[in-house]
């Protein structure tokens, strides 16, 4: 095959793979079998091996690279990754709302309510639209460099869709419930210790020194916050989430924007009851002031922003399954 032909085929393959990624991960509607998908990636890798000048940084072939690491390098975050204050009741939420309203001089405040995905925080840093580092949260200031593991996650863009000088985002890496159950079955069969919950499984998978192991764990990342952006101007959190979607990140579609705390509380109650129907675990909801200028007015303590709060769902009392009781009997 000549270079020109290979160039056309490589471009077509990358487009098609991208379409299937989006269908599979964002719309949760696979448009191709895993086997056919693997064939496309294998053909792309073969062409890039034959014509190395056709390799681009955003090619799916650049996801599972590298040999196993000896250890993880330390990465200092450009901005400290803040924590979240917690609310455990409707009253806690109302007093949060009262504090916020006071601090903005009685102006109307609108909140965005999001799932609190039960995974682990990751920070992704892009320069000139290319992924440079992916890191764990660590202590909020310094994390571990897990770039080559995060690159294996299909919904983590290797290259952003539009030019931007610097973009630092944070998100939650997690393992969907189905992948978690399947992994534990495999580990049980292999006599390996099982993971207690999807969060531990995700954390254990991202701490693998061999990226091939991380690549096999079906991890996902929902991105939820812009830490630093040099290259666009944004006024609300809603716009920030749309911007992140346009740049190619996976952003959770389920979010609710309202200034009415009664509506906010009933939305939270709705998901407290329905969360078991979700394909991933959530351990609460996060309330965030939508208007970024109001956020600046509210500021942050040394640990957490004054413009956001986490509502934690009551811890699950271990649901004893009938089968367990039968066995005991
Ligand atoms: C940007 C802010 C600070 C408002 C923020 N902080 C979060 N977290 C901080 C505390 N975190 C934390 N983790 C470990 C130790 C202390 N704090 C865990 C992430 C958020 C977590 C989620 C989520 N999980 O889905 C989310 N949709 N939005 C978040 N937004």
């Amino acid at each position: 095959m000549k270079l020109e032909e290979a160039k056309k085929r490589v471009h077509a393959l990358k487009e098609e793979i991208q379409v299937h990624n989006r269908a599979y991960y964002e719309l949760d509607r696979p448009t191709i079998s895993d086997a056919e998908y693997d064939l496309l990636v294998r053909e792309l890798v073969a062409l890039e091996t034959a014509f190395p000048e056709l390799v681009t940084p955003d090619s799916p072939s650049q996801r599972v690279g590298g040999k196993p690491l000896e250890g993880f390098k330390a990465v200092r975050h450009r901005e400290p990754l803040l924590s979240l204050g917690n609310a455990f009741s409707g009253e806690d939420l109302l007093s949060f709302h009262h504090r916020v309203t006071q601090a903005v001089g009685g102006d109307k405040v609108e909140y965005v309510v999001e799932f609190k995905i039960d995974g682990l925080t990751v920070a992704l840093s892009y320069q000139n639209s290319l992924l440079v580092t992916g890191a764990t949260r660590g202590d909020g200031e310094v994390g571990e460099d897990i770039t080559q593991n995060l690159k294996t996650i299909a919904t983590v863009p290797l290259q952003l869709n539009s030019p931007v000088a610097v973009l630092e985002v944070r998100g939650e890496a997690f393992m969907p419930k189905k992948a978690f159950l399947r992994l534990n079955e495999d580990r049980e069969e292999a006599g390996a210790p099982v993971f207690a919950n999807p969060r531990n499984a995700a954390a254990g998978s991202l701490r693998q020194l061999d990226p091939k192991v991380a690549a096999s764990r079906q991890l996902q990342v929902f991105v939820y916050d812009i830490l630093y952006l040099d290259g666009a101007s944004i006024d609300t959190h809603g716009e920030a989430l749309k911007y992140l979607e346009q740049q190619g990140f996976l952003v959770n579609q389920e979010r609710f924007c309202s200034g009415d705390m009664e509506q906010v509380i009933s939305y939270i109650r709705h998901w407290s009851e329905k969360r078991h129907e979700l394909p991933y675990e959530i351990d609460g909801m996060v309330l965030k002031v939508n208007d970024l200028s109001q956020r600046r007015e509210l500021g942050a303590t040394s640990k957490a922003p004054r413009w956001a709060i986490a509502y934690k769902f009551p811890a699950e009392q271990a649901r004893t399954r009938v089968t367990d009781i039968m066995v005991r009997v």
Side-chain angles (χ1 to χ4, degrees):
M1 184 188 279
K2 285 197 301 307
L3 178 61
E4 267 322 296
E5 252 180 283
K7 204 170 190 168
K8 275 212 251 350
R9 183 64 186 144
V10 159
H11 183 75
L13 282 167
K14 277 171 21 182
E15 293 250 307
E16 188 177 350
I17 288 167
Q18 185 56 23
V19 164
H20 294 311
N21 272 344
R22 193 176 158 77
Y24 185 82
Y25 292 107
E26 309 214 350
L27 311 172
D28 204 11
R29 244 197 326 256
T31 41
I32 188 174
S33 73
D34 292 359
E36 287 164 310
Y37 181 86
D38 291 345
L39 271 179
L40 293 175
V41 177
R42 255 203 286 278
E43 185 189 349
L44 175 64
V45 171
L47 282 170
E48 290 179 343
T49 310
F51 300 91
E53 63 270 49
L54 295 181
V55 177
T56 58
D58 71 326
S59 170
S61 62
Q62 304 308 299
R63 287 194 179 283
V64 193
K67 58 202 172 312
L69 296 175
E70 299 302 308
F72 294 114
K73 281 193 332 238
V75 176
R76 177 169 289 280
H77 304 300
R78 181 191 293 259
E79 308 267 339
L81 299 190
L82 294 173
S83 266
L84 269 176
N86 289 320
F88 299 95
S89 68
E91 298 83 75
D92 292 347
L93 289 174
L94 287 172
S95 54
F96 166 74
H97 176 53
H98 184 67
R99 282 198 308 275
V100 165
T101 308
Q102 294 269 42
V104 296
D107 294 349
K108 187 99 180 74
V109 178
E110 202 177 52
Y111 300 100
V112 177
V113 190
E114 302 168 1
F115 288 149
K116 187 168 182 296
I117 307 295
D118 193 2
L120 69 150
T121 302
V122 292
L124 297 164
S125 164
Y126 292 77
Q127 280 165 25
N128 299 323
S129 302
L130 293 178
L131 177 62
V132 176
T133 16
T136 61
R137 177 182 185 282
D139 64 3
E141 312 230 343
V142 177
E144 292 168 313
D145 184 330
I146 53 166
T147 309
Q148 63 175 19
N149 285 343
L150 286 173
K151 276 183 161 180
T152 69
I153 299 176
T155 53
V156 169
L158 299 178
Q159 177 164 22
L160 301 175
N161 291 333
S162 58
V164 64
V166 179
L167 173 63
E168 308 234 342
V169 301
R170 69 187 282 185
E172 201 79 0
F174 67 96
M175 186 181 291
K177 289 174 185 169
K178 252 190 325 206
F180 167 68
L181 294 171
R182 180 65 206 278
L183 174 63
N184 269 354
E185 275 167 23
D186 295 352
R187 287 175 71 92
E188 211 148 3
E189 259 161 53
V194 294
F195 287 105
N197 55 53
R199 178 171 36 77
N200 290 5
S205 304
L206 282 177
R207 262 202 293 274
Q208 287 295 322
L209 291 167
D210 180 354
K212 285 185 182 45
V213 176
S216 72
R217 296 288 176 84
Q218 298 170 56
L219 296 171
Q220 289 294 326
V221 174
F222 277 128
V223 172
Y224 58 70
D225 187 64
I226 293 175
L227 271 168
Y228 182 90
L229 170 57
D230 165 7
S233 87
I234 287 166
D235 299 324
T236 67
H237 182 54
E239 285 171 21
L241 294 177
K242 282 200 190 78
Y243 174 79
L244 291 169
E245 278 166 1
Q246 283 157 1
Q247 284 288 26
F249 292 101
L250 182 67
V251 175
N252 200 299
Q253 294 304 312
E254 182 58 47
R255 49 191 188 255
F256 177 67
C257 194
S258 170
D260 175 338
M261 283 310 281
E262 290 312 306
Q263 283 188 7
V264 166
I265 289 172
S266 70
Y267 178 76
I268 289 173
R269 187 178 303 113
H270 167 82
W271 281 109
S272 176
E273 286 144 23
K274 301 253 300 194
R275 62 177 148 147
H276 305 300
E277 295 168 19
L278 293 168
Y280 41 76
E281 289 199 344
I282 65 173
D283 60 346
M285 307 293 281
V286 185
L287 246 73
K288 306 175 176 181
V289 168
N290 192 30
D291 183 288
L292 301 193
S293 59
Q294 286 183 327
R295 289 191 180 188
R296 277 187 287 276
E297 211 178 333
L298 286 154
T301 65
S302 61
K303 293 302 288 171
R306 290 195 189 89
W307 42 265
I309 195 161
Y311 178 86
K312 304 282 280 192
F313 292 141
E316 301 257 273
Q317 46 281 0
R319 296 195 306 250
T320 311
R321 287 188 297 275
V322 172
T323 43
D324 293 357
I325 297 168
M326 298 295 274
V327 164
R328 261 201 292 284
V329 161

